[in-house]
Amino acid sequence: MNSLTKPLAYFSMITLFAGAFAIAPAQAGPNHDSHKHAKKHQGHGGMYILKKLDLSDEQKTEVKAIMKNAKEQKKGLHESLKAYKQALSDLINSPDYSEQAVRSLHAQYQSVFADKAVIKANASHQINALLTPEQQAKKAEIKAKMKARWAEKKERMKERKADRS
């Protein structure tokens, strides 16, 4: 038997098993737990909360209109934000990189960042105005629970990191 045959056989088996483990979640299909978990946490920020508030059909229609309007307004900023990202990338990869140059570039686009924040805040304000006092209270309760869960998660991550050290 050739001296390379045995190691190659072991290597082939390891590669085969590694490949099988790598594709197993994909083969499991869209109803597999990992896919459900990813889908559960997908979404558009506050939309998760809005779905929990039992909005009336009229409220849903108005929320959709507000969101559509905000999306159209943000589209106007898309090119500017794209230009900022490209300029930042170019700067990072440039031999002329400096912290001051990054600060200057960021300052150039400050109004675009502010416009984006204002559009988001306006949409949130308009949606809040549609909610009944009960829905607003429920929303505040959901947010508080989410914040508490996030704090617990951060604490667990810190503990795990400390355990590894």
Side-chain angles (χ1 to χ4, degrees):
M1 188 174 214
N2 188 340
S3 63
L4 287 177
T5 307
K6 205 171 196 178
L8 280 176
Y10 286 130
F11 180 72
S12 297
M13 285 193 297
I14 291 170
T15 305
L16 177 71
F17 285 119
F21 286 121
I23 64 168
Q27 293 292 325
N31 293 325
H32 188 264
D33 284 343
S34 65
H35 292 282
K36 287 179 187 173
H37 181 73
K39 280 188 177 182
K40 178 182 174 187
H41 296 287
Q42 269 179 345
H44 300 13
M47 293 304 290
Y48 168 79
I49 295 173
L50 289 175
K51 288 180 180 179
K52 299 274 188 191
L53 297 180
D54 301 321
L55 299 176
S56 69
D57 290 339
E58 183 181 329
Q59 286 176 315
K60 288 178 185 177
T61 302
E62 290 185 45
V63 166
K64 284 181 183 178
I66 292 167
M67 298 295 280
K68 183 179 179 185
N69 183 31
K71 186 175 182 179
E72 288 172 5
Q73 289 178 345
K74 285 182 192 176
K75 272 186 184 178
L77 303 176
H78 180 72
E79 288 303 317
S80 293
L81 291 170
K82 191 174 175 181
Y84 167 75
K85 288 178 182 179
Q86 183 60 51
L88 182 61
S89 177
D90 292 345
L91 184 59
I92 289 169
N93 296 313
S94 167
D96 298 331
Y97 173 83
S98 72
E99 186 176 311
Q100 183 56 40
V102 173
R103 289 180 188 279
S104 174
L105 178 66
H106 190 80
Q108 262 181 282
Y109 286 90
Q110 197 61 44
S111 65
V112 176
F113 303 142
D115 289 346
K116 186 176 178 185
V118 167
I119 291 167
K120 182 178 178 180
N122 283 342
S124 294
H125 176 73
Q126 291 171 357
I127 291 170
N128 274 344
L130 294 175
L131 301 178
T132 65
E134 294 81 21
Q135 288 170 326
Q136 289 176 355
K138 188 173 180 181
K139 179 183 173 190
E141 181 183 323
I142 293 169
K143 279 187 163 190
K145 285 180 182 177
M146 289 174 68
K147 191 174 183 177
R149 278 194 305 251
W150 180 246
E152 289 172 12
K153 184 176 181 177
K154 283 175 65 175
E155 189 60 37
R156 285 193 310 268
M157 289 177 3
K158 277 184 185 178
E159 289 171 4
R160 285 187 208 146
K161 191 173 182 180
D163 289 346
R164 285 187 221 148
S165 298

